[in-house]
Structures are given as C-alpha cells and as structure tokens.
Amino acid sequence: MVTVPSGSFSCHMTEHPILITGGTGKVGGRAAAQLRAKGVAVRVGSRSGEPRFDWEDESTWDAALAGVQKVFLVPHDGALLTRPFVRRAKELGVERVVLLSGRGADVPGYASEDGIAGKTHIDGEDAVRTSGLDFTVVRPAWFAQNFSEGFFRDAVLAGELRLPAGDGAAGFVDAEDIAAVAVAALTEDTHSGRTYELSGPSALTLTEVVELISQATGRTVRYVSLSEEDFIAELVAEGWPKADAQDYADSIGPIRRNMDSHLSDGVQTALGRPPRPFSQFVTEAGAAGAWREAE
Ligand SMILES: NC(=O)c1ccc[n+]([C@@H]2O[C@H](COP(=O)([O-])OP(=O)(O)OC[C@H]3O[C@@H](n4cnc5c(N)ncnc54)[C@H](OP(=O)(O)O)[C@@H]3O)[C@@H](O)[C@H]2O)c1
C-alpha cells in the first residue's frame, strides 16, 4: 500500500472530499457534477484522476481514500474488488459507502451465474452490508444513457439496434436520477441501511425506444430482434471472444424473459419526486448532440 505523505491533501483533508470511483462515467460523472453544484468537495476516482486511481492497481487505493469519509462506490465489473476496497476504506477512516449495484442482484435466475456484472454486484452488496459501515445500496434498471453514451450508441448511429431482447420491455432509468439518489444518500442521513430499486416511470420495448429516438432525432433507427445464438455468432464474427459475447447476451436475457418490465419506486421514495421520463432523456440528449456523429 502507498503511504500518503502527511499534508499532501491538506486542503481536501479539512473538507473531507467525497470519493467517487467511476467518477468519469455515466453515473459517477453526474454524481460528481451534482455534488459540486451543491458546493461539496469531490475527488474523482479515475485512471486519469489526481491522484490516479486504478482498481487493478491496489497501490493507488490509499491515496484516493486519504482524508475521505464518504465514498460513492461505482464498482469495477469483472474482478471482485469491492470487498477488499471497502475493507481498506474502513481501515483508513471511511464511514459511509453508497454502492452502485444493479437490478436483479437479489433475484435468483436474473443474472447468469457466470455473469461478470451479476457476480460483482452480489459480492459487492454483501461486502458493503457486512462491512459495519453506514451504507446505502442503489440498484438501477438499465440506464437510458446506454443509448447515448454507452454500448448501444454505435448501433443507434448505424440505424439498427440488433439485440436478443425479443419483445421484452425494460424500465430504463435516467443516469441523472441514479446520480441524484446517490447524492441524497451521500449528503442526507435518512438513507442509511436502505436499498433503492430504481427504474424510469415506464417500461419500454426496444421498438418503442428506437421510435422515440427516431422521432426526436429525425434519424431512422430500427430494432432487430435476434436469437441469442445469432447475436453471439454476429459478435464472434466481429472478433469478440465467445465468452464476452455470451456474457453480453446473458445480460440482455432478463429483458427477453420479461424480468425487467416491472417498475420500481426508488426515485420517488428517495427523492420525493417521480423519475424522469425516457422521452425527456431523448430530447435532452438529442439537443446536447449525443447522436451527432464526430466530424
Ligand atoms: N449500463 C447499465 O445499464 C447498468 C445497469 C445497472 C447497473 N450498472 C452498473 O453500473 C456500473 C457502471 O457504471 P457506469 O455505466 O456509470 O460506468 P461507465 O460509464 O461505464 O464508466 C466506467 C467508469 O469506470 C472507470 N474505470 C474503468 N476501468 C477502471 C479502472 N481499471 N480503474 C479505475 N476506474 C476505472 C472509468 O474511469 P476512467 O476510464 O476515467 O479510469 C469510468 O469512470 C457497473 O457496475 C454496471 O454493472 C449498469
């Protein structure tokens, strides 16, 4: 472990910045912006941050945690690092952890047993709950921003979203709302020990999603429902390792099996207001140029 030189974080030490791992990502980046807007000091945990934080390099953890009392923990999917990180955070004086988990972490059969994200969230939730720290767990449904900043964006730009989701619907939730719930849990004392299940206000099929994006952008986007086998074969033909293609297909499985169509009231419960509609996300993302191709 790195020894942090005394005084090197003196100005932050007095403010006790909130550490946000994944602080440059879809949810962490928004949580950082919302906290800063409230005048709260933030330390962004990122490989490009200062100090640099790399989940896969434990020697960077202590500097990121120095002087920190509260962490918004956006986990690193794939390796079970939440548990050792939380242990170290507690040793270094952290008192509160807000964990970004995922819908279905408590539902048998939701995620594949070998699924990277599922394993990360199941182990991460247990690590946080048994840590003895003040904690809140945030369990969002699929993010709306997957279509504008995440792994569906390229397909939207290409005009064809090819997924093994059948006619299933999902309660896509706006990352602004996920971040707002995390910020509330970090800055208010009434969310301790709570688990918030978050979804948007309606469940949408992929056909409905691409219609909304098409209407707002004037860009024609189709949804093509693939069998799981065809989906995996297409990804492998593009050069994906078979295991990664299977993992991606598995992550879509709950939509196809109709395990993602229910709505959750966590935004209303935590924030006292309804979640933002998907149509609002589409309008704002479009206006911000999310689907404008790089020139
Ligand atoms: N997408 C969904 O629909 C969905 C739904 C439910 C739950 N989730 C969960 O949400 C989490 C992902 O959150 P997100 O979508 O906000 O993230 P994201 O936008 O994909 O951003 C990933 C973040 O992780 C950081 N990161 C990546 N590798 C790193 C490393 N080795 N060390 C330190 N930081 C690293 C990146 O920072 P740098 O690149 O700057 O280092 C970035 O800030 C995952 O745990 C996922 O399972 C996702």
Side-chain angles (χ1 to χ4, degrees):
M1 291 287 174
V2 163
T3 306
V4 180
S6 62
S8 59
F9 293 105
S10 52
C11 64
H12 291 299
M13 293 282 270
T14 49
E15 292 181 69
H16 296 299
I18 294 180
L19 173 65
I20 305 181
T21 63
T24 55
K26 292 186 281 299
V27 176
R30 287 175 168 81
Q34 291 180 24
L35 283 166
R36 288 190 180 116
K38 284 176 176 283
V40 177
V42 167
R43 184 176 298 153
V44 169
S46 154
R47 289 163 295 180
S48 57
E50 181 51 51
R52 191 178 81 89
F53 170 73
D54 188 340
W55 274 110
E56 294 176 1
D57 178 359
E58 239 178 275
S59 72
T60 66
W61 293 6
D62 281 17
L65 285 163
V68 167
Q69 292 180 338
K70 298 175 184 176
V71 177
F72 179 30
L73 200 161
V74 176
H76 189 48
D77 290 352
L80 301 183
L81 295 172
T82 299
R83 191 177 297 276
F85 185 75
V86 167
R87 195 182 303 130
R88 187 61 185 152
K90 187 176 179 185
E91 285 168 3
L92 293 180
V94 167
E95 295 169 1
R96 178 178 299 185
V97 175
V98 176
L99 177 71
L100 181 66
S101 179
R103 177 179 259 190
D106 61 333
V107 180
Y110 180 94
S112 139
E113 281 185 14
D114 302 323
I116 286 171
K119 277 204 300 208
T120 303
H121 295 319
I122 290 166
D123 189 62
E125 285 200 15
D126 182 66
V128 165
R129 287 179 204 287
T130 57
S131 65
L133 295 174
D134 182 0
F135 73 89
T136 305
V137 173
V138 181
R139 263 192 212 145
W142 285 87
F143 303 169
Q145 277 75 7
N146 293 326
F147 296 97
S148 57
E149 300 166 30
F151 34 80
F152 301 148
R153 179 174 180 267
D154 285 349
V156 170
L157 290 179
E160 204 166 75
L161 187 62
R162 301 169 69 79
L163 289 175
D167 296 328
F172 297 99
V173 59
D174 194 316
E176 287 289 349
D177 284 342
I178 307 170
V181 171
V183 166
L186 290 162
T187 56
E188 301 165 4
D189 292 331
T190 51
H191 308 281
S192 180
R194 305 287 304 257
T195 297
Y196 290 117
E197 299 268 355
L198 311 183
S199 79
S202 55
L204 300 171
T205 64
L206 275 302
T207 302
E208 290 167 330
V209 163
V210 295
E211 269 170 23
L212 285 167
I213 296 175
S214 298
Q215 280 164 19
T217 60
R219 171 189 285 281
T220 304
V221 189
R222 292 195 318 135
Y223 165 58
V224 179
S225 173
L226 296 180
S227 70
E228 202 175 278
E229 297 69 34
D230 288 349
F231 177 70
I232 292 170
E234 282 193 4
L235 293 183
V236 170
E238 282 172 25
W240 283 53
K242 177 98 190 280
D244 291 354
Q246 181 69 57
D247 192 60
Y248 192 178
D250 287 346
S251 73
I252 307 287
I255 303 182
R256 190 181 59 255
R257 298 196 302 276
N258 250 323
M259 296 180 83
D260 260 329
S261 57
H262 60 287
L263 301 180
S264 308
D265 63 2
V267 173
Q268 180 72 47
T269 306
L271 304 178
R273 62 155 176 88
R276 290 155 50 96
F278 192 85
S279 56
Q280 184 180 353
F281 150 72
V282 172
T283 304
E284 291 179 5
W291 295 294
R292 223 171 283 143
E293 294 189 67
E295 286 157 348

